[in-house]
Amino acid sequence: MNQAPAPNTSASSAPDLRGQHQSLRICLVTETFPPEVNGVAMTAGRVVNGLLAAGHKVHIVRPRQPEEDRAHLASFADLPTTLVHGVGVPGYNGIRFGLPAGNALERAWRHQTPDVVHVLTEGPLGYSAVKTAQRLGLPIVGGYHTHFDRYTEHYRFGFLRQTVTNYLVRFHNRCHINLAPTQELAQSLMQQGMKEVRVMSRGVDRSLFHPQHRSTALRTQWGVGKDDLVLLCVGRLAAEKQLDWVVRAWQAVRQDKPYSKLVLVGGGPEYQRLASQYPDVILTGPVSSHDLGAHYASADLFVFASMSETFGNVVQEALASGVPVVGFDYAAARELIHHDVNGVLVPFGDQQAFIQATVQAASQPAHLRQMARQAAETGRSWKSVLQDLIANYHDAIDLASIVDHRTQGSPHAHSTQNVP
C-alpha cells in the first residue's frame, strides 16, 4: 500500500477563525447522547454545549433512549431534537443503534436546511443521514470515534473485521471532512483509504477534573487508610476494555501492598460478571459528572488496559486530576503521558509488561503523583477544540459549495452564499 500523505491538521494546530462569529445551523446525528455514559455521548454533550455557547443553532437527531421519560435530559430540554426508533446492540446493554430515517431526515432538511450535518456515529441511523445529506448536497462532517472493526474481536465476530473496516471507509468517504482525535489515527485511517481525515482532539474540563477534588471521605468509604494505595479505572464495563488485565495487575500489586484497593467506576454488560468473579473489587456503578472528579482525584494510580480507544478521554481526565496513568503506548496515552514522569507507557498489547508496569508504578506512587500534579494542566480546553470544529464546519461548507457549482441545482446552494 502506498504511503498516505500526512493528514491535514491545520485546523487543529492553528485554528482558522474565519466565520467564528457567524451563526451556523448544525444538525448533529448521533446514536448515543447524554445521559448515556460513554466517550461518544460525553463528546456529543460537550460539543453541543460549546456550539450553543458560541451562538450556533443545533438540532439533534438520535434514537429514543430506554425509559426516555425518566432520563435526566434537563440540560438539553430546550434543544430541538428528532427522536428515531432504535434497537439494542447485542451483548452491549444500554446502547442502541438508531434505525434508518432517511425519509424523515429529507423532509426535515428540505423544510429547514442545515448549514452542515455532523454525523458522530456510523450505525444505520448515521449511514442513512450521510446518504440523505449527500443526495441533498449538504456539507457533511463525519466523526470517527469508535473502532467498530476491533470490537468484532471481543464479541465473537472476528471474521467480519475486514468487512466492517471496508464499511467504515466507504461510510466516511461520503463525507466532505472526517475528524479523528489523534494524528496517529488520522494517518492510519488514510492508509486504509479514508479521505479528508483531519485531527480534532478532545478537551478536558479543569473545573471538574483537578487535584483539589481529592476526598478523604470518599477514600474512607472505599475502606482505605491515608497511605493506602487506590488503583482506579473509569469507563464502560465491557469486554473491549480488557478489565481482567486491570484486575490481574492489581492482584500483582497486592502481593507487596495487601491493603491496596481497585475501584472500577462505570456500568455496562460486564458489571455482574466482574462483581461475581472479583468480590474484592469496588464497583461503584455509573457516577454523575458532578462526583466523577472526586473519584479520579481520590485515587493514586489510573490503570487503563483498553486497546480499542480512538482517544481515551479518561486518560486526559485522570492526568488533569493529578493521577498518574499506566496505559498502552497509543492514542491519548501516547500523546499525553511522559514515560516515568506522569505515568508509564507500555508496549501495545503486552499483558505481562502491563502488569509489571503497574507494579512498578505502584512502588513509587508518591513520586509519580507529585509529577502528575505538576503536569495537571496537560490537555486542551474544550473552547479551543470547539474553535477547530467550527473551522472544519466552514471548510466542509466550502467543499460542498464546490461540488454544488459543478452539479448545479443542489437545494443547499443558498446556504453557502455567506461563506467567505
Side-chain angles (χ1 to χ4, degrees):
M1 181 179 294
N2 294 332
Q3 183 74 16
N8 180 353
T9 60
S10 59
S12 58
S13 58
D16 180 355
L17 299 180
R18 64 192 171 87
Q20 291 287 339
H21 300 295
Q22 174 189 338
S23 178
L24 295 175
R25 295 189 304 276
I26 301 146
C27 185
L28 193 74
V29 182
T30 177
E31 269 142 304
T32 181
F33 196 70
E36 292 174 329
V37 181
N38 58 71
V40 181
M42 184 279 291
T43 298
R46 290 289 184 186
V47 165
V48 169
N49 283 329
L51 291 173
L52 294 175
H56 301 285
K57 298 179 177 63
V58 182
H59 175 209
I60 298 292
V61 179
R62 62 172 179 82
R64 180 180 294 277
Q65 297 177 4
E67 300 182 344
E68 177 84 13
D69 292 339
R70 287 185 276 170
H72 181 66
L73 289 163
S75 299
F76 304 99
D78 297 328
L79 191 66
T81 301
T82 297
L83 298 178
V84 303
H85 294 293
V87 293
V89 178
Y92 211 99
N93 64 297
I95 299 296
R96 299 171 71 79
F97 275 138
L99 296 178
N103 291 337
L105 290 175
E106 180 165 352
R107 287 193 299 270
W109 290 342
R110 287 190 181 278
H111 176 71
Q112 185 173 60
T113 307
D115 292 303
V116 63
V117 175
H118 186 173
V119 182
L120 268 69
T121 52
E122 300 100 333
L125 171 62
Y127 187 72
S128 70
V130 167
K131 285 186 64 177
T132 303
Q134 187 181 44
R135 185 168 63 252
L136 297 178
L138 302 176
I140 312 167
V141 172
Y144 190 95
H145 295 268
T146 306
H147 287 306
F148 284 116
D149 52 346
R150 295 184 187 178
Y151 279 29
T152 59
E153 304 288 345
H154 298 285
Y155 293 93
R156 302 178 182 178
F157 293 100
F159 63 94
L160 291 176
R161 178 165 180 170
Q162 189 58 51
T163 300
V164 175
T165 298
N166 294 341
Y167 164 79
L168 292 172
V169 171
R170 291 195 303 272
F171 178 101
H172 284 280
N173 282 346
R174 290 176 175 267
C175 303
H176 295 94
I177 287 176
N178 294 294
L179 301 175
T182 67
Q183 185 168 349
E184 173 193 15
L185 178 56
Q187 182 74 23
S188 174
L189 293 174
M190 288 206 296
Q191 289 174 344
Q192 294 176 25
M194 202 173 291
K195 300 175 183 177
E196 284 294 338
V197 185
R198 303 188 181 186
V199 176
M200 175 187 146
S201 188
R202 301 291 181 266
V204 63
D205 186 338
R206 296 190 183 94
S207 66
L208 288 177
F209 305 106
H210 194 278
Q212 69 185 7
H213 296 310
R214 191 172 178 87
S215 169
T216 301
L218 184 56
R219 287 176 62 85
T220 300
Q221 179 181 323
W222 291 338
V224 296
K226 179 181 178 182
D227 298 321
D228 291 336
L229 187 73
V230 174
L231 278 64
L232 178 75
C233 188
V234 176
R236 292 274 302 171
L237 304 185
E240 69 275 6
K241 302 297 184 180
Q242 303 287 159
L243 293 168
D244 290 295
W245 292 21
V246 174
V247 174
R248 289 170 197 152
W250 167 62
Q251 290 170 337
V253 169
R254 289 181 84 186
Q255 294 180 15
D256 291 326
K257 298 180 180 295
Y259 296 106
S260 65
K261 298 285 187 179
L262 173 60
V263 178
L264 300 181
V265 176
E270 289 282 274
Y271 184 96
Q272 293 299 331
R273 182 188 71 81
L274 291 167
S276 174
Q277 191 168 344
Y278 306 115
D280 292 337
V281 174
I282 298 172
L283 297 167
T284 70
V287 171
S288 70
S289 58
H290 176 74
D291 296 327
L292 188 56
H295 283 68
Y296 275 110
S298 300
D300 301 293
L301 187 65
F302 192 84
V303 188
F304 194 56
S306 175
M307 295 180 289
S308 62
E309 309 299 309
T310 57
F311 185 72
N313 297 308
V314 293
V315 171
Q316 188 165 230
E317 291 165 357
L319 292 173
S321 301
V323 180
V325 176
V326 177
F328 289 113
D329 185 13
Y330 88 114
R334 174 176 290 179
E335 291 197 347
L336 301 175
I337 293 176
H338 302 285
H339 185 66
D340 282 341
V341 176
N342 62 346
V344 181
L345 290 173
V346 181
F348 187 83
D350 190 332
Q351 180 184 8
Q352 191 57 41
F354 179 82
I355 293 172
Q356 292 173 350
T358 304
V359 172
Q360 173 191 345
S363 69
Q364 49 178 340
H367 166 72
L368 284 175
R369 187 168 182 84
Q370 180 181 3
M371 299 301 291
R373 282 178 174 172
Q374 293 175 4
E377 292 299 308
T378 297
R380 300 184 63 194
S381 70
W382 275 108
K383 181 178 180 180
S384 67
V385 171
L386 264 294
Q387 288 177 338
D388 295 350
L389 177 60
I390 294 167
N392 279 306
Y393 284 164
H394 283 284
D395 284 348
I397 292 170
D398 286 346
L399 289 171
S401 179
I402 293 172
V403 174
D404 286 347
H405 289 312
R406 288 175 179 170
T407 58
Q408 296 296 319
S410 162
H412 187 67
H414 71 278
S415 68
T416 61
Q417 291 176 357
N418 295 326
V419 178

